[in-house]
Amino acid sequence: QVCAQLCRRPCYCPWVPPRCPRGSPLVLDGCGCCKICARRLGEPCDFLHVCDQSQGLVCDYSSAPAGTGGTCNFEDDEEGCEVNGRVYRDGEVFQPSCKIQCHCLGGGFTCIPLCQEDVRLPTPDCPYPRRVEIPGKCCPEWICEAREQHLLRDARAASPALPFPCQEWGTEWSPCSATCGLGFATRVSNQNRYCRLETQRRLCTLRPCPALPAAFPA
């Protein structure tokens, strides 16, 4: 009955298909006529405006008043999270980039860096360590420069190896710079090759950013 009321034959569709936001594929509408952008997790839906079935989403009418549209949700009511336009199931581990690994849990996600954030101090066998990007590798690596290379690279900052171990000192990590999504925490520490105070930072996340509601097209 719904199909007979809303669907007309033959189909009349726009010549140019809509441009969909990232993570929303083009699919046929509920009538099987025109290409539309699939609705994503948490977005409104109805008979015509269907959810992205490739992500395991269905139109959930359980919390909607009678006669109104529903909301795209997982078919088995599992909680999930959306990152960069892609939906991940609860408990799924994923990598938005090669340097970060995230875990979807309870409707939110937490991330940890995959690249080591260690600080290498000068040693007799490596008096001038330097961290560099290696082509074809995701994480930067430490290399040991010869004294001549080090002086040529930055003569003003060159200094001999420390004759004694550096007494480590540092502040506590600051609160995360972002209230939602990925941010940075900072601290001041002297754990570097010159034993000088410097600002260091690392990735952090407090909670996922809420998804913006999408309005129905006019």
Side-chain angles (χ1 to χ4, degrees):
Q1 294 178 352
V2 174
C3 181
Q5 293 174 2
L6 297 179
C7 302
R8 295 181 299 174
R9 293 293 188 273
C11 298
Y12 295 98
C13 305
W15 284 100
V16 180
R19 297 184 62 182
C20 300
R22 184 177 180 182
S24 178
L26 274 175
V27 296
L28 287 175
D29 61 20
C31 294
C33 285
C34 303
K35 292 280 189 178
I36 61 171
C37 298
R39 296 299 170 93
R40 297 174 296 180
L41 179 65
E43 293 183 340
C45 56
D46 55 24
F47 175 76
L48 285 176
H49 303 90
V50 297
C51 301
D52 186 0
Q53 295 182 358
S54 67
Q55 297 287 344
L57 301 178
V58 296
C59 198
D60 183 8
Y61 295 91
S62 59
S63 59
T68 62
T71 303
C72 289
N73 203 350
F74 288 114
E75 187 172 7
D76 52 3
D77 292 332
E78 288 185 357
E79 290 186 327
C81 50
E82 183 177 356
V83 181
N84 294 332
R86 182 173 176 182
V87 178
Y88 298 93
R89 287 188 175 275
D90 189 66
E92 186 174 355
V93 177
F94 59 97
Q95 290 184 220
S97 75
C98 61
K99 296 183 179 181
I100 304 174
Q101 178 174 288
C102 301
H103 184 204
C104 178
L105 187 63
F109 63 95
T110 56
C111 300
I112 58 172
L114 296 178
C115 298
Q116 295 184 357
E117 297 181 339
D118 59 329
V119 175
R120 183 166 182 172
L121 297 176
T123 57
D125 61 328
C126 186
Y128 303 109
R130 185 164 67 95
R131 206 170 193 178
V132 297
E133 298 286 344
I134 306 296
K137 293 188 177 182
C138 178
C139 300
E141 296 183 2
W142 288 100
I143 64 171
C144 295
E145 287 187 336
R147 179 179 177 85
E148 293 77 11
Q149 292 176 317
H150 180 74
L151 293 175
L152 289 174
R153 184 180 61 83
D154 192 350
R156 293 174 300 175
S159 64
L162 298 175
F164 52 85
C166 175
Q167 184 175 359
E168 296 183 358
W169 182 91
T171 63
E172 296 293 332
W173 288 102
S174 70
C176 196
S177 62
T179 57
C180 68
L182 288 178
F184 291 95
T186 60
R187 71 172 181 179
V188 176
S189 173
N190 67 345
Q191 298 177 36
N192 55 65
R193 59 184 172 186
Y194 302 119
C195 196
R196 297 174 183 171
L197 292 178
E198 67 176 4
T199 301
Q200 301 172 345
R201 64 179 185 174
R202 67 180 180 184
L203 291 171
C204 59
T205 179
L206 297 179
R207 60 184 179 87
C209 293
L212 296 176
F216 281 99

PDB file of all heavy atoms in Angstrom, residues 36-53:
ATOM      1  N   ILE A  36      19.666   7.908  -4.975  1.00  0.00           N
ATOM      2  CA  ILE A  36      19.723   8.872  -3.877  1.00  0.00           C
ATOM      3  C   ILE A  36      20.936   8.539  -3.019  1.00  0.00           C
ATOM      4  O   ILE A  36      21.560   7.493  -3.171  1.00  0.00           O
ATOM      5  CB  ILE A  36      18.445   8.828  -3.010  1.00  0.00           C
ATOM      6  CG1 ILE A  36      18.288   7.433  -2.379  1.00  0.00           C
ATOM      7  CG2 ILE A  36      17.209   9.203  -3.823  1.00  0.00           C
ATOM      8  CD1 ILE A  36      17.179   7.362  -1.337  1.00  0.00           C
ATOM      9  N   CYS A  37      21.267   9.450  -2.103  1.00  0.00           N
ATOM     10  CA  CYS A  37      22.358   9.216  -1.164  1.00  0.00           C
ATOM     11  C   CYS A  37      21.828   8.393   0.005  1.00  0.00           C
ATOM     12  O   CYS A  37      20.842   8.766   0.641  1.00  0.00           O
ATOM     13  CB  CYS A  37      22.921  10.537  -0.647  1.00  0.00           C
ATOM     14  SG  CYS A  37      23.639  11.587  -1.928  1.00  0.00           S
ATOM     15  N   ALA A  38      22.467   7.267   0.273  1.00  0.00           N
ATOM     16  CA  ALA A  38      22.039   6.429   1.387  1.00  0.00           C
ATOM     17  C   ALA A  38      22.210   7.176   2.704  1.00  0.00           C
ATOM     18  O   ALA A  38      23.191   7.895   2.903  1.00  0.00           O
ATOM     19  CB  ALA A  38      22.837   5.132   1.403  1.00  0.00           C
ATOM     20  N   ARG A  39      21.246   7.021   3.577  1.00  0.00           N
ATOM     21  CA  ARG A  39      21.314   7.650   4.892  1.00  0.00           C
ATOM     22  C   ARG A  39      22.284   6.868   5.777  1.00  0.00           C
ATOM     23  O   ARG A  39      22.361   5.637   5.712  1.00  0.00           O
ATOM     24  CB  ARG A  39      19.922   7.707   5.528  1.00  0.00           C
ATOM     25  CG  ARG A  39      18.940   8.588   4.738  1.00  0.00           C
ATOM     26  CD  ARG A  39      19.448  10.021   4.669  1.00  0.00           C
ATOM     27  NE  ARG A  39      18.700  10.854   3.762  1.00  0.00           N
ATOM     28  CZ  ARG A  39      17.662  11.623   4.134  1.00  0.00           C
ATOM     29  NH1 ARG A  39      17.239  11.609   5.372  1.00  0.00           N
ATOM     30  NH2 ARG A  39      17.057  12.386   3.240  1.00  0.00           N
ATOM     31  N   ARG A  40      23.004   7.604   6.645  1.00  0.00           N
ATOM     32  CA  ARG A  40      24.024   7.006   7.490  1.00  0.00           C
ATOM     33  C   ARG A  40      23.523   6.826   8.919  1.00  0.00           C
ATOM     34  O   ARG A  40      22.406   7.204   9.252  1.00  0.00           O
ATOM     35  CB  ARG A  40      25.285   7.869   7.457  1.00  0.00           C
ATOM     36  CG  ARG A  40      25.921   7.954   6.079  1.00  0.00           C
ATOM     37  CD  ARG A  40      27.071   8.929   6.033  1.00  0.00           C
ATOM     38  NE  ARG A  40      26.646  10.299   6.284  1.00  0.00           N
ATOM     39  CZ  ARG A  40      27.474  11.329   6.302  1.00  0.00           C
ATOM     40  NH1 ARG A  40      28.763  11.152   6.084  1.00  0.00           N
ATOM     41  NH2 ARG A  40      27.017  12.551   6.525  1.00  0.00           N
ATOM     42  N   LEU A  41      24.377   6.280   9.768  1.00  0.00           N
ATOM     43  CA  LEU A  41      24.014   6.003  11.151  1.00  0.00           C
ATOM     44  C   LEU A  41      23.532   7.272  11.851  1.00  0.00           C
ATOM     45  O   LEU A  41      24.206   8.299  11.847  1.00  0.00           O
ATOM     46  CB  LEU A  41      25.226   5.433  11.908  1.00  0.00           C
ATOM     47  CG  LEU A  41      25.015   5.100  13.382  1.00  0.00           C
ATOM     48  CD1 LEU A  41      24.009   3.954  13.528  1.00  0.00           C
ATOM     49  CD2 LEU A  41      26.336   4.742  14.044  1.00  0.00           C
ATOM     50  N   GLY A  42      22.327   7.187  12.454  1.00  0.00           N
ATOM     51  CA  GLY A  42      21.774   8.314  13.202  1.00  0.00           C
ATOM     52  C   GLY A  42      21.012   9.313  12.367  1.00  0.00           C
ATOM     53  O   GLY A  42      20.412  10.239  12.914  1.00  0.00           O
ATOM     54  N   GLU A  43      21.011   9.169  11.040  1.00  0.00           N
ATOM     55  CA  GLU A  43      20.302  10.112  10.181  1.00  0.00           C
ATOM     56  C   GLU A  43      18.846   9.693  10.010  1.00  0.00           C
ATOM     57  O   GLU A  43      18.511   8.499  10.103  1.00  0.00           O
ATOM     58  CB  GLU A  43      20.996  10.217   8.825  1.00  0.00           C
ATOM     59  CG  GLU A  43      22.376  10.843   8.886  1.00  0.00           C
ATOM     60  CD  GLU A  43      23.015  11.008   7.522  1.00  0.00           C
ATOM     61  OE1 GLU A  43      22.591  10.331   6.567  1.00  0.00           O
ATOM     62  OE2 GLU A  43      23.934  11.835   7.408  1.00  0.00           O
ATOM     63  N   PRO A  44      17.932  10.654   9.729  1.00  0.00           N
ATOM     64  CA  PRO A  44      16.522  10.312   9.550  1.00  0.00           C
ATOM     65  C   PRO A  44      16.296   9.515   8.267  1.00  0.00           C
ATOM     66  O   PRO A  44      17.049   9.635   7.295  1.00  0.00           O
ATOM     67  CB  PRO A  44      15.838  11.687   9.485  1.00  0.00           C
ATOM     68  CG  PRO A  44      16.904  12.631   9.045  1.00  0.00           C
ATOM     69  CD  PRO A  44      18.179  12.108   9.630  1.00  0.00           C
ATOM     70  N   CYS A  45      15.262   8.708   8.266  1.00  0.00           N
ATOM     71  CA  CYS A  45      14.969   7.856   7.116  1.00  0.00           C
ATOM     72  C   CYS A  45      13.462   7.603   7.060  1.00  0.00           C
ATOM     73  O   CYS A  45      12.729   7.874   8.013  1.00  0.00           O
ATOM     74  CB  CYS A  45      15.724   6.521   7.228  1.00  0.00           C
ATOM     75  SG  CYS A  45      15.383   5.635   8.770  1.00  0.00           S
ATOM     76  N   ASP A  46      13.019   7.101   5.921  1.00  0.00           N
ATOM     77  CA  ASP A  46      11.633   6.685   5.751  1.00  0.00           C
ATOM     78  C   ASP A  46      11.579   5.690   4.593  1.00  0.00           C
ATOM     79  O   ASP A  46      12.612   5.163   4.180  1.00  0.00           O
ATOM     80  CB  ASP A  46      10.709   7.893   5.522  1.00  0.00           C
ATOM     81  CG  ASP A  46      11.152   8.763   4.360  1.00  0.00           C
ATOM     82  OD1 ASP A  46      11.853   8.245   3.458  1.00  0.00           O
ATOM     83  OD2 ASP A  46      10.806   9.964   4.334  1.00  0.00           O
ATOM     84  N   PHE A  47      10.386   5.447   4.067  1.00  0.00           N
ATOM     85  CA  PHE A  47      10.239   4.448   3.010  1.00  0.00           C
ATOM     86  C   PHE A  47      11.069   4.818   1.781  1.00  0.00           C
ATOM     87  O   PHE A  47      11.701   3.960   1.156  1.00  0.00           O
ATOM     88  CB  PHE A  47       8.767   4.314   2.625  1.00  0.00           C
ATOM     89  CG  PHE A  47       8.536   3.396   1.449  1.00  0.00           C
ATOM     90  CD1 PHE A  47       8.596   2.017   1.603  1.00  0.00           C
ATOM     91  CD2 PHE A  47       8.285   3.906   0.183  1.00  0.00           C
ATOM     92  CE1 PHE A  47       8.399   1.167   0.517  1.00  0.00           C
ATOM     93  CE2 PHE A  47       8.088   3.067  -0.905  1.00  0.00           C
ATOM     94  CZ  PHE A  47       8.145   1.694  -0.731  1.00  0.00           C
ATOM     95  N   LEU A  48      11.078   6.107   1.404  1.00  0.00           N
ATOM     96  CA  LEU A  48      11.811   6.540   0.216  1.00  0.00           C
ATOM     97  C   LEU A  48      13.297   6.715   0.487  1.00  0.00           C
ATOM     98  O   LEU A  48      14.136   6.321  -0.313  1.00  0.00           O
ATOM     99  CB  LEU A  48      11.218   7.846  -0.317  1.00  0.00           C
ATOM    100  CG  LEU A  48       9.879   7.747  -1.048  1.00  0.00           C
ATOM    101  CD1 LEU A  48       9.389   9.135  -1.426  1.00  0.00           C
ATOM    102  CD2 LEU A  48      10.008   6.875  -2.285  1.00  0.00           C
ATOM    103  N   HIS A  49      13.630   7.349   1.601  1.00  0.00           N
ATOM    104  CA  HIS A  49      15.015   7.672   1.923  1.00  0.00           C
ATOM    105  C   HIS A  49      15.587   6.536   2.763  1.00  0.00           C
ATOM    106  O   HIS A  49      15.431   6.507   3.981  1.00  0.00           O
ATOM    107  CB  HIS A  49      15.097   9.002   2.661  1.00  0.00           C
ATOM    108  CG  HIS A  49      14.480  10.132   1.900  1.00  0.00           C
ATOM    109  ND1 HIS A  49      13.142  10.469   2.041  1.00  0.00           N
ATOM    110  CD2 HIS A  49      14.992  10.967   0.971  1.00  0.00           C
ATOM    111  CE1 HIS A  49      12.867  11.490   1.243  1.00  0.00           C
ATOM    112  NE2 HIS A  49      13.977  11.802   0.581  1.00  0.00           N
ATOM    113  N   VAL A  50      16.244   5.600   2.075  1.00  0.00           N
ATOM    114  CA  VAL A  50      16.680   4.360   2.704  1.00  0.00           C
ATOM    115  C   VAL A  50      18.057   4.513   3.353  1.00  0.00           C
ATOM    116  O   VAL A  50      18.832   5.416   3.020  1.00  0.00           O
ATOM    117  CB  VAL A  50      16.718   3.218   1.661  1.00  0.00           C
ATOM    118  CG1 VAL A  50      15.335   2.942   1.120  1.00  0.00           C
ATOM    119  CG2 VAL A  50      17.684   3.565   0.523  1.00  0.00           C
ATOM    120  N   CYS A  51      18.346   3.598   4.278  1.00  0.00           N
ATOM    121  CA  CYS A  51      19.630   3.602   4.989  1.00  0.00           C
ATOM    122  C   CYS A  51      20.671   2.810   4.197  1.00  0.00           C
ATOM    123  O   CYS A  51      20.339   2.054   3.286  1.00  0.00           O
ATOM    124  CB  CYS A  51      19.459   2.994   6.377  1.00  0.00           C
ATOM    125  SG  CYS A  51      18.246   3.847   7.419  1.00  0.00           S
ATOM    126  N   ASP A  52      21.917   2.988   4.568  1.00  0.00           N
ATOM    127  CA  ASP A  52      23.025   2.303   3.898  1.00  0.00           C
ATOM    128  C   ASP A  52      23.067   0.853   4.369  1.00  0.00           C
ATOM    129  O   ASP A  52      23.611   0.531   5.425  1.00  0.00           O
ATOM    130  CB  ASP A  52      24.338   3.019   4.222  1.00  0.00           C
ATOM    131  CG  ASP A  52      25.511   2.448   3.447  1.00  0.00           C
ATOM    132  OD1 ASP A  52      25.304   1.506   2.661  1.00  0.00           O
ATOM    133  OD2 ASP A  52      26.635   2.960   3.628  1.00  0.00           O
ATOM    134  N   GLN A  53      22.521  -0.044   3.561  1.00  0.00           N
ATOM    135  CA  GLN A  53      22.470  -1.451   3.936  1.00  0.00           C
ATOM    136  C   GLN A  53      23.852  -2.098   3.921  1.00  0.00           C
ATOM    137  O   GLN A  53      24.071  -3.103   4.594  1.00  0.00           O
ATOM    138  CB  GLN A  53      21.526  -2.205   2.991  1.00  0.00           C
ATOM    139  CG  GLN A  53      20.071  -1.758   3.099  1.00  0.00           C
ATOM    140  CD  GLN A  53      19.141  -2.564   2.191  1.00  0.00           C
ATOM    141  OE1 GLN A  53      19.595  -3.430   1.448  1.00  0.00           O
ATOM    142  NE2 GLN A  53      17.860  -2.267   2.268  1.00  0.00           N
TER     143      GLN A  53
END
